[in-house]
Amino acid sequence: MTHILTSPDGTPASRFAFGTMQFGGRADAAQSAEIFAACRTAGITHFDTAWVYTQGHSEEILGRLIKGERDQLIIASKVGYTGGAGAQNMQAQFDTSRARLQLDCIDILYLHRFDAQTDLRETLGWFAARKEAGDIRYIGLSNFAAWQVMKAQMLGAELGFSTDILQPMYSLVKRQAEVEILPMCTDQNIAIAPYSPLGGGLLTGKYTTGGTGRLSEDARYNSRYGQAWMHETASELSALADSLDVSPATLAVAWAAAHPAAPMPIISGRSAEQIAPSLAALDFQMDAALYDQIEALSPRPAPATDRLEEQELGA
């Protein structure tokens, strides 16, 4: 597994990352500063943003907040969500991201999503050149299927390219990554930083009590997490959390982090108060019995071969 380290002192990345997608959006500059301070107090060293987040305000705010302790932090951003994964577009976005963050080197740079319209050799060649030049330290891929990652690995062998870290979606209600992505990362020594461990807020339990948020306000999130069984899982997780006198958000994040592939979940939120239960998962003790109990609250995805009888037998 690639070990993501700070520079120059080589401190390992924190077990969780914090995603700043809300900075400059639902969280204004003052709230963002409070969130950042809460994360640092909890020991978070890994902060994730993207060129496309909040029209650039996320990167700008994060850039101001990290001044004074840059060398103790790992900063990740992403390019290529819009405009494609051609070298010219990625370079333009990367240069803008560096200016917003006030950084010459961004520790982790992800391709935000797979681009079927661009020759992957061009994309990978640009990433490899940026790493060789010292503009980035780790190369990441986001929202890639397992076959797409392995295609990158195969072509990368010719280009001096190797994927260091992958950012898939993963939570108790989005478990597809368990089938091929997480085992592939273990096999290929790729670090894993999964996003949305709270299922877009569904697993906080607030929607079971009539609360509102992205799932009720954003059609994309409503579609992503709109299936009835997902809401039933969230309700059952809340009931279990009540019996343990802990927040369901704490259980959800701790469960995602406890997978044998050792992922580093990306937590997020719009206030220091909102992220407190997720930060509490850093110290939560998830034993094997509780892990299995939580796992049973949602359907296990079918194996890649679709041989369900072997899954049932533990093969």
Side-chain angles (χ1 to χ4, degrees):
M1 187 73 68
T2 298
H3 296 290
I4 306 298
L5 308 174
T6 63
S7 177
D9 63 3
T11 301
S14 48
R15 290 201 304 117
F16 298 172
F18 184 81
T20 65
M21 192 165 117
Q22 314 249 23
F23 282 12
R26 291 172 180 261
D28 62 23
Q31 291 170 316
S32 299
E34 292 174 357
I35 292 168
F36 182 81
C39 287
R40 293 297 293 126
T41 298
I44 299 294
T45 61
H46 182 175
F47 292 87
D48 180 273
T49 185
W51 177 86
V52 77
Y53 289 167
T54 58
Q55 295 77 52
H57 298 306
S58 172
E59 289 181 321
E60 291 169 349
I61 290 172
L62 183 61
R64 293 194 294 269
L65 292 172
I66 63 177
K67 284 184 175 180
E69 51 179 338
R70 167 67 183 101
D71 290 345
Q72 289 76 52
L73 303 176
I74 294 165
I75 306 301
S77 195
K78 311 177 197 73
V79 296
Y81 191 83
T82 61
Q88 184 175 0
N89 181 61
M90 292 190 300
Q91 185 67 52
Q93 293 184 1
F94 178 60
D95 288 340
T96 302
S97 291
R98 287 197 293 179
R100 291 170 179 168
L101 289 163
Q102 302 178 59
L103 298 175
D104 293 324
C105 174
I106 296 178
D107 297 303
I108 303 170
L109 188 70
Y110 293 93
L111 176 58
H112 208 150
R113 62 177 171 181
F114 184 76
D115 176 14
Q117 306 307 311
T118 300
D119 187 338
L120 193 55
R121 288 179 178 82
E122 176 184 352
T123 303
L124 302 183
W126 180 85
F127 269 89
R130 297 285 63 73
K131 187 171 183 178
E132 184 177 1
D135 296 337
I136 62 178
R137 297 176 56 234
Y138 299 102
I139 297 172
L141 302 174
S142 177
N143 298 306
F144 269 49
W147 71 266
Q148 293 165 343
V149 176
M150 291 309 300
K151 181 176 182 180
Q153 294 290 80
M154 178 187 70
L155 294 175
E158 305 172 8
L159 300 169
F161 173 100
S162 179
T163 303
D164 297 306
I165 187 167
L166 187 69
Q167 192 172 127
M169 185 189 302
Y170 185 56
S171 71
L172 185 61
V173 291
K174 286 289 185 179
R175 296 176 57 183
Q176 189 62 33
E178 294 176 3
V179 179
E180 291 193 292
I181 289 176
L182 300 184
M184 173 201 66
C185 287
T186 299
D187 178 75
Q188 294 293 306
N189 297 314
I190 299 172
I192 311 158
Y195 66 91
S196 292
L198 294 180
L202 177 63
L203 298 174
T204 66
K206 66 181 179 181
Y207 295 100
T208 63
T209 57
T212 59
R214 282 186 295 178
L215 270 66
S216 57
E217 300 165 2
D218 189 319
R220 296 172 305 164
Y221 280 87
N222 182 267
S223 176
R224 186 181 297 176
Y225 299 106
Q227 296 183 44
W229 72 263
M230 295 179 176
H231 288 259
E232 182 179 344
T233 293
S235 179
E236 292 174 349
L237 182 68
S238 291
L240 175 59
D242 286 344
S243 73
L244 298 173
D245 194 26
V246 66
S247 167
T250 301
L251 286 186
V253 175
W255 181 84
H259 189 278
M264 302 175 287
I266 301 173
I267 62 172
S268 191
R270 63 176 181 269
S271 70
E273 179 182 13
Q274 189 183 61
I275 68 169
S278 293
L279 290 174
L282 283 164
D283 299 316
F284 185 82
Q285 300 300 310
M286 175 71 65
D287 61 31
L290 181 57
Y291 181 90
D292 291 344
Q293 187 177 2
I294 294 172
E295 181 184 37
L297 299 180
S298 67
R300 180 183 297 180
T305 60
D306 225 7
R307 293 168 67 91
L308 294 176
E309 72 282 3
E310 293 182 356
Q311 177 172 274
E312 292 167 0
L313 293 172

